[in-house]
Amino acid sequence: MAEKKEVPVYTAEDVAKHDKESDCWLIIGNESNGGPKVYDVTKYLDDHPGGAEVMMEFAGKDADSMFEDIGHSKEARTTMSQYFIGNLKDDGKSSKTTPTATKKVTEIKSKGGGLSPVAIIAVLIAIVLGVYFSQQQK
């Protein structure tokens, strides 16, 4: 029978030391998805679709709220699993989002990505007009 490899466990203090582009760790995960996990995303920074700066905002910190609020795909979650290096030690404290983290998530969301409300309205108007004119021709 193969011996089970033990998964390393890190403290928040351990993770906090890795807050540079040359050494970037993030904490992502919560009670609803298996608990907080530690990821070394250093080699992924340049490949991240949202840019390295998005990830660097949370370097060495808990990035779970940002990760979940952005709404990452299954593909993104699969990619993320490649960078898993261990679990976060449960220190008994609640890992609630800090006001600073909430503010940063809001800033990141407002910087772009997705469709603007104007674009959505324009698409809806185009659909309504298309249906209207197709009905007029009958």
Side-chain angles (χ1 to χ4, degrees), residues 14 29 32-33 37 43 47 49 59-60 64 68 70 78 81 96 101 104-105 110 113 116-118 120 128 133 135:
D14 293 332
S32 69
N33 58 21
K37 300 192 177 353
K43 293 179 180 175
D47 297 327
D64 185 62
E68 295 300 335
I70 298 289
T78 300
S81 67
K96 298 287 181 197
K104 286 183 180 178
V105 167
S110 69
S116 73
V118 174
I120 293 171
V128 169
F133 286 118
Q135 295 297 320

PDB file of all heavy atoms in Angstrom, residues 14 29 32-33 37 43 47 49 59-60 64 68 70 78 81 96 101 104-105 110 113 116-118 120 128 133 135:
ATOM      1  N   ASP A  14       3.440  32.594   8.181  1.00  0.00           N
ATOM      2  CA  ASP A  14       4.312  32.002   7.161  1.00  0.00           C
ATOM      3  C   ASP A  14       3.977  32.579   5.786  1.00  0.00           C
ATOM      4  O   ASP A  14       4.863  32.972   5.030  1.00  0.00           O
ATOM      5  CB  ASP A  14       4.123  30.478   7.082  1.00  0.00           C
ATOM      6  CG  ASP A  14       4.588  29.738   8.324  1.00  0.00           C
ATOM      7  OD1 ASP A  14       5.500  30.226   9.014  1.00  0.00           O
ATOM      8  OD2 ASP A  14       4.021  28.658   8.596  1.00  0.00           O
ATOM      9  N   GLY A  29      -9.727  29.779  -0.113  1.00  0.00           N
ATOM     10  CA  GLY A  29     -10.546  28.670   0.374  1.00  0.00           C
ATOM     11  C   GLY A  29     -11.248  29.074   1.655  1.00  0.00           C
ATOM     12  O   GLY A  29     -10.834  30.009   2.345  1.00  0.00           O
ATOM     13  N   SER A  32     -16.731  26.333   3.285  1.00  0.00           N
ATOM     14  CA  SER A  32     -17.674  25.744   2.333  1.00  0.00           C
ATOM     15  C   SER A  32     -17.001  24.987   1.185  1.00  0.00           C
ATOM     16  O   SER A  32     -17.661  24.250   0.473  1.00  0.00           O
ATOM     17  CB  SER A  32     -18.593  26.821   1.764  1.00  0.00           C
ATOM     18  OG  SER A  32     -17.878  27.694   0.930  1.00  0.00           O
ATOM     19  N   ASN A  33     -15.697  25.165   1.006  1.00  0.00           N
ATOM     20  CA  ASN A  33     -15.032  24.479  -0.105  1.00  0.00           C
ATOM     21  C   ASN A  33     -13.756  23.748   0.315  1.00  0.00           C
ATOM     22  O   ASN A  33     -12.821  23.641  -0.461  1.00  0.00           O
ATOM     23  CB  ASN A  33     -14.762  25.448  -1.256  1.00  0.00           C
ATOM     24  CG  ASN A  33     -13.917  26.630  -0.857  1.00  0.00           C
ATOM     25  OD1 ASN A  33     -13.202  26.588   0.136  1.00  0.00           O
ATOM     26  ND2 ASN A  33     -13.989  27.688  -1.632  1.00  0.00           N
ATOM     27  N   LYS A  37      -6.591  27.140   1.855  1.00  0.00           N
ATOM     28  CA  LYS A  37      -5.405  26.468   1.325  1.00  0.00           C
ATOM     29  C   LYS A  37      -4.386  27.516   0.882  1.00  0.00           C
ATOM     30  O   LYS A  37      -4.725  28.650   0.591  1.00  0.00           O
ATOM     31  CB  LYS A  37      -5.806  25.582   0.156  1.00  0.00           C
ATOM     32  CG  LYS A  37      -6.821  24.512   0.564  1.00  0.00           C
ATOM     33  CD  LYS A  37      -7.015  23.485  -0.475  1.00  0.00           C
ATOM     34  CE  LYS A  37      -7.949  22.379  -0.082  1.00  0.00           C
ATOM     35  NZ  LYS A  37      -8.454  22.298   1.236  1.00  0.00           N
ATOM     36  N   LYS A  43       4.908  31.609 -10.212  1.00  0.00           N
ATOM     37  CA  LYS A  43       5.125  31.287 -11.619  1.00  0.00           C
ATOM     38  C   LYS A  43       3.888  31.556 -12.482  1.00  0.00           C
ATOM     39  O   LYS A  43       3.971  31.506 -13.703  1.00  0.00           O
ATOM     40  CB  LYS A  43       5.538  29.823 -11.769  1.00  0.00           C
ATOM     41  CG  LYS A  43       6.903  29.545 -11.161  1.00  0.00           C
ATOM     42  CD  LYS A  43       7.290  28.099 -11.304  1.00  0.00           C
ATOM     43  CE  LYS A  43       8.655  27.859 -10.685  1.00  0.00           C
ATOM     44  NZ  LYS A  43       9.028  26.444 -10.690  1.00  0.00           N
ATOM     45  N   ASP A  47       0.886  34.873 -16.248  1.00  0.00           N
ATOM     46  CA  ASP A  47      -0.122  34.197 -17.053  1.00  0.00           C
ATOM     47  C   ASP A  47      -1.550  34.502 -16.609  1.00  0.00           C
ATOM     48  O   ASP A  47      -2.502  34.152 -17.304  1.00  0.00           O
ATOM     49  CB  ASP A  47       0.094  32.685 -17.003  1.00  0.00           C
ATOM     50  CG  ASP A  47       1.427  32.277 -17.609  1.00  0.00           C
ATOM     51  OD1 ASP A  47       1.874  32.951 -18.559  1.00  0.00           O
ATOM     52  OD2 ASP A  47       2.023  31.296 -17.132  1.00  0.00           O
ATOM     53  N   PRO A  49      -5.001  35.927 -16.323  1.00  0.00           N
ATOM     54  CA  PRO A  49      -5.761  36.748 -17.277  1.00  0.00           C
ATOM     55  C   PRO A  49      -6.069  38.160 -16.773  1.00  0.00           C
ATOM     56  O   PRO A  49      -6.153  39.097 -17.564  1.00  0.00           O
ATOM     57  CB  PRO A  49      -7.060  35.956 -17.481  1.00  0.00           C
ATOM     58  CG  PRO A  49      -6.709  34.557 -17.132  1.00  0.00           C
ATOM     59  CD  PRO A  49      -5.666  34.659 -16.055  1.00  0.00           C
ATOM     60  N   ALA A  59      -0.989  39.472  -2.212  1.00  0.00           N
ATOM     61  CA  ALA A  59       0.205  38.657  -1.984  1.00  0.00           C
ATOM     62  C   ALA A  59       0.486  38.522  -0.487  1.00  0.00           C
ATOM     63  O   ALA A  59       0.512  39.498   0.243  1.00  0.00           O
ATOM     64  CB  ALA A  59       1.408  39.286  -2.686  1.00  0.00           C
ATOM     65  N   GLY A  60       0.631  37.280  -0.053  1.00  0.00           N
ATOM     66  CA  GLY A  60       0.909  37.008   1.358  1.00  0.00           C
ATOM     67  C   GLY A  60      -0.318  37.113   2.246  1.00  0.00           C
ATOM     68  O   GLY A  60      -0.192  37.109   3.473  1.00  0.00           O
ATOM     69  N   ASP A  64      -9.340  34.827  -0.566  1.00  0.00           N
ATOM     70  CA  ASP A  64     -10.533  34.035  -0.847  1.00  0.00           C
ATOM     71  C   ASP A  64     -11.719  34.891  -1.276  1.00  0.00           C
ATOM     72  O   ASP A  64     -12.399  34.568  -2.241  1.00  0.00           O
ATOM     73  CB  ASP A  64     -10.917  33.178   0.364  1.00  0.00           C
ATOM     74  CG  ASP A  64     -12.076  32.265   0.045  1.00  0.00           C
ATOM     75  OD1 ASP A  64     -11.916  31.407  -0.842  1.00  0.00           O
ATOM     76  OD2 ASP A  64     -13.154  32.426   0.651  1.00  0.00           O
ATOM     77  N   GLU A  68     -13.523  34.475  -4.868  1.00  0.00           N
ATOM     78  CA  GLU A  68     -14.924  34.067  -4.979  1.00  0.00           C
ATOM     79  C   GLU A  68     -15.796  35.174  -5.560  1.00  0.00           C
ATOM     80  O   GLU A  68     -16.685  34.906  -6.358  1.00  0.00           O
ATOM     81  CB  GLU A  68     -15.464  33.620  -3.619  1.00  0.00           C
ATOM     82  CG  GLU A  68     -14.793  32.373  -3.065  1.00  0.00           C
ATOM     83  CD  GLU A  68     -14.942  31.135  -3.953  1.00  0.00           C
ATOM     84  OE1 GLU A  68     -15.901  31.039  -4.745  1.00  0.00           O
ATOM     85  OE2 GLU A  68     -14.074  30.252  -3.857  1.00  0.00           O
ATOM     86  N   ILE A  70     -15.045  37.523  -7.659  1.00  0.00           N
ATOM     87  CA  ILE A  70     -14.794  37.720  -9.086  1.00  0.00           C
ATOM     88  C   ILE A  70     -15.561  36.675  -9.896  1.00  0.00           C
ATOM     89  O   ILE A  70     -15.977  36.925 -11.009  1.00  0.00           O
ATOM     90  CB  ILE A  70     -13.272  37.639  -9.405  1.00  0.00           C
ATOM     91  CG1 ILE A  70     -12.515  38.736  -8.690  1.00  0.00           C
ATOM     92  CG2 ILE A  70     -13.003  37.650 -10.899  1.00  0.00           C
ATOM     93  CD1 ILE A  70     -12.723  40.124  -9.201  1.00  0.00           C
ATOM     94  N   THR A  78      -9.265  24.646 -11.656  1.00  0.00           N
ATOM     95  CA  THR A  78      -8.385  23.529 -12.002  1.00  0.00           C
ATOM     96  C   THR A  78      -6.945  24.024 -12.143  1.00  0.00           C
ATOM     97  O   THR A  78      -6.011  23.397 -11.641  1.00  0.00           O
ATOM     98  CB  THR A  78      -8.853  22.866 -13.315  1.00  0.00           C
ATOM     99  OG1 THR A  78     -10.191  22.392 -13.124  1.00  0.00           O
ATOM    100  CG2 THR A  78      -7.952  21.714 -13.705  1.00  0.00           C
ATOM    101  N   SER A  81      -5.290  24.630  -8.819  1.00  0.00           N
ATOM    102  CA  SER A  81      -4.884  23.442  -8.054  1.00  0.00           C
ATOM    103  C   SER A  81      -3.424  23.055  -8.305  1.00  0.00           C
ATOM    104  O   SER A  81      -2.784  22.447  -7.451  1.00  0.00           O
ATOM    105  CB  SER A  81      -5.812  22.271  -8.351  1.00  0.00           C
ATOM    106  OG  SER A  81      -5.657  21.832  -9.684  1.00  0.00           O
ATOM    107  N   LYS A  96     -13.000  36.009   8.491  1.00  0.00           N
ATOM    108  CA  LYS A  96     -13.932  36.923   7.837  1.00  0.00           C
ATOM    109  C   LYS A  96     -13.155  37.934   7.000  1.00  0.00           C
ATOM    110  O   LYS A  96     -12.010  38.244   7.285  1.00  0.00           O
ATOM    111  CB  LYS A  96     -14.777  37.689   8.877  1.00  0.00           C
ATOM    112  CG  LYS A  96     -15.639  36.786   9.727  1.00  0.00           C
ATOM    113  CD  LYS A  96     -16.796  36.249   8.945  1.00  0.00           C
ATOM    114  CE  LYS A  96     -17.661  35.373   9.839  1.00  0.00           C
ATOM    115  NZ  LYS A  96     -18.537  34.534   9.117  1.00  0.00           N
ATOM    116  N   ALA A 101      -9.923  44.312   2.499  1.00  0.00           N
ATOM    117  CA  ALA A 101     -10.068  43.316   1.438  1.00  0.00           C
ATOM    118  C   ALA A 101     -11.342  43.570   0.642  1.00  0.00           C
ATOM    119  O   ALA A 101     -11.349  43.477  -0.582  1.00  0.00           O
ATOM    120  CB  ALA A 101     -10.083  41.910   2.016  1.00  0.00           C
ATOM    121  N   LYS A 104     -10.756  46.444  -1.703  1.00  0.00           N
ATOM    122  CA  LYS A 104      -9.906  46.086  -2.834  1.00  0.00           C
ATOM    123  C   LYS A 104     -10.679  45.265  -3.855  1.00  0.00           C
ATOM    124  O   LYS A 104     -10.495  45.434  -5.054  1.00  0.00           O
ATOM    125  CB  LYS A 104      -8.670  45.329  -2.347  1.00  0.00           C
ATOM    126  CG  LYS A 104      -7.684  46.255  -1.668  1.00  0.00           C
ATOM    127  CD  LYS A 104      -6.440  45.538  -1.245  1.00  0.00           C
ATOM    128  CE  LYS A 104      -5.496  46.512  -0.563  1.00  0.00           C
ATOM    129  NZ  LYS A 104      -4.289  45.885  -0.079  1.00  0.00           N
ATOM    130  N   VAL A 105     -11.550  44.361  -3.395  1.00  0.00           N
ATOM    131  CA  VAL A 105     -12.361  43.578  -4.316  1.00  0.00           C
ATOM    132  C   VAL A 105     -13.244  44.504  -5.132  1.00  0.00           C
ATOM    133  O   VAL A 105     -13.370  44.363  -6.345  1.00  0.00           O
ATOM    134  CB  VAL A 105     -13.208  42.531  -3.550  1.00  0.00           C
ATOM    135  CG1 VAL A 105     -14.273  41.940  -4.454  1.00  0.00           C
ATOM    136  CG2 VAL A 105     -12.316  41.443  -2.980  1.00  0.00           C
ATOM    137  N   SER A 110     -14.368  47.173 -10.292  1.00  0.00           N
ATOM    138  CA  SER A 110     -14.699  48.402 -11.006  1.00  0.00           C
ATOM    139  C   SER A 110     -13.681  48.755 -12.079  1.00  0.00           C
ATOM    140  O   SER A 110     -13.953  49.591 -12.931  1.00  0.00           O
ATOM    141  CB  SER A 110     -14.832  49.565 -10.019  1.00  0.00           C
ATOM    142  OG  SER A 110     -13.571  49.886  -9.471  1.00  0.00           O
ATOM    143  N   GLY A 113     -13.553  44.466 -16.960  1.00  0.00           N
ATOM    144  CA  GLY A 113     -13.915  43.067 -17.047  1.00  0.00           C
ATOM    145  C   GLY A 113     -15.424  42.950 -17.103  1.00  0.00           C
ATOM    146  O   GLY A 113     -16.155  43.706 -16.485  1.00  0.00           O
ATOM    147  N   SER A 116     -20.320  46.209 -19.559  1.00  0.00           N
ATOM    148  CA  SER A 116     -20.838  47.381 -18.858  1.00  0.00           C
ATOM    149  C   SER A 116     -22.354  47.390 -18.993  1.00  0.00           C
ATOM    150  O   SER A 116     -22.909  46.794 -19.923  1.00  0.00           O
ATOM    151  CB  SER A 116     -20.233  48.654 -19.434  1.00  0.00           C
ATOM    152  OG  SER A 116     -20.792  48.900 -20.701  1.00  0.00           O
ATOM    153  N   PRO A 117     -23.043  48.071 -18.101  1.00  0.00           N
ATOM    154  CA  PRO A 117     -24.505  48.149 -18.209  1.00  0.00           C
ATOM    155  C   PRO A 117     -24.959  48.733 -19.548  1.00  0.00           C
ATOM    156  O   PRO A 117     -25.969  48.310 -20.106  1.00  0.00           O
ATOM    157  CB  PRO A 117     -24.894  49.071 -17.048  1.00  0.00           C
ATOM    158  CG  PRO A 117     -23.790  48.907 -16.052  1.00  0.00           C
ATOM    159  CD  PRO A 117     -22.567  48.684 -16.872  1.00  0.00           C
ATOM    160  N   VAL A 118     -24.215  49.682 -20.076  1.00  0.00           N
ATOM    161  CA  VAL A 118     -24.574  50.285 -21.369  1.00  0.00           C
ATOM    162  C   VAL A 118     -24.513  49.228 -22.471  1.00  0.00           C
ATOM    163  O   VAL A 118     -25.402  49.155 -23.329  1.00  0.00           O
ATOM    164  CB  VAL A 118     -23.648  51.482 -21.696  1.00  0.00           C
ATOM    165  CG1 VAL A 118     -23.906  52.018 -23.086  1.00  0.00           C
ATOM    166  CG2 VAL A 118     -23.810  52.572 -20.650  1.00  0.00           C
ATOM    167  N   ILE A 120     -24.883  46.009 -22.160  1.00  0.00           N
ATOM    168  CA  ILE A 120     -25.984  45.062 -21.958  1.00  0.00           C
ATOM    169  C   ILE A 120     -27.286  45.652 -22.497  1.00  0.00           C
ATOM    170  O   ILE A 120     -28.040  44.976 -23.197  1.00  0.00           O
ATOM    171  CB  ILE A 120     -26.115  44.690 -20.465  1.00  0.00           C
ATOM    172  CG1 ILE A 120     -24.878  43.898 -20.021  1.00  0.00           C
ATOM    173  CG2 ILE A 120     -27.390  43.896 -20.203  1.00  0.00           C
ATOM    174  CD1 ILE A 120     -24.779  43.660 -18.537  1.00  0.00           C
ATOM    175  N   VAL A 128     -34.503  43.178 -29.150  1.00  0.00           N
ATOM    176  CA  VAL A 128     -35.913  43.582 -29.229  1.00  0.00           C
ATOM    177  C   VAL A 128     -36.230  44.112 -30.626  1.00  0.00           C
ATOM    178  O   VAL A 128     -37.261  43.754 -31.222  1.00  0.00           O
ATOM    179  CB  VAL A 128     -36.245  44.636 -28.138  1.00  0.00           C
ATOM    180  CG1 VAL A 128     -37.601  45.263 -28.374  1.00  0.00           C
ATOM    181  CG2 VAL A 128     -36.181  43.987 -26.757  1.00  0.00           C
ATOM    182  N   PHE A 133     -38.805  43.757 -35.928  1.00  0.00           N
ATOM    183  CA  PHE A 133     -38.768  43.863 -37.384  1.00  0.00           C
ATOM    184  C   PHE A 133     -39.022  42.525 -38.066  1.00  0.00           C
ATOM    185  O   PHE A 133     -39.607  42.475 -39.156  1.00  0.00           O
ATOM    186  CB  PHE A 133     -37.453  44.499 -37.863  1.00  0.00           C
ATOM    187  CG  PHE A 133     -37.393  45.973 -37.603  1.00  0.00           C
ATOM    188  CD1 PHE A 133     -36.424  46.514 -36.771  1.00  0.00           C
ATOM    189  CD2 PHE A 133     -38.319  46.832 -38.171  1.00  0.00           C
ATOM    190  CE1 PHE A 133     -36.371  47.871 -36.518  1.00  0.00           C
ATOM    191  CE2 PHE A 133     -38.268  48.200 -37.936  1.00  0.00           C
ATOM    192  CZ  PHE A 133     -37.290  48.720 -37.102  1.00  0.00           C
ATOM    193  N   GLN A 135     -41.066  40.303 -36.973  1.00  0.00           N
ATOM    194  CA  GLN A 135     -42.512  40.127 -36.873  1.00  0.00           C
ATOM    195  C   GLN A 135     -43.255  41.016 -37.873  1.00  0.00           C
ATOM    196  O   GLN A 135     -44.322  40.662 -38.355  1.00  0.00           O
ATOM    197  CB  GLN A 135     -42.994  40.409 -35.447  1.00  0.00           C
ATOM    198  CG  GLN A 135     -42.482  39.444 -34.415  1.00  0.00           C
ATOM    199  CD  GLN A 135     -42.948  38.025 -34.647  1.00  0.00           C
ATOM    200  OE1 GLN A 135     -44.081  37.783 -35.022  1.00  0.00           O
ATOM    201  NE2 GLN A 135     -42.047  37.074 -34.447  1.00  0.00           N
TER     202      GLN A 135
END
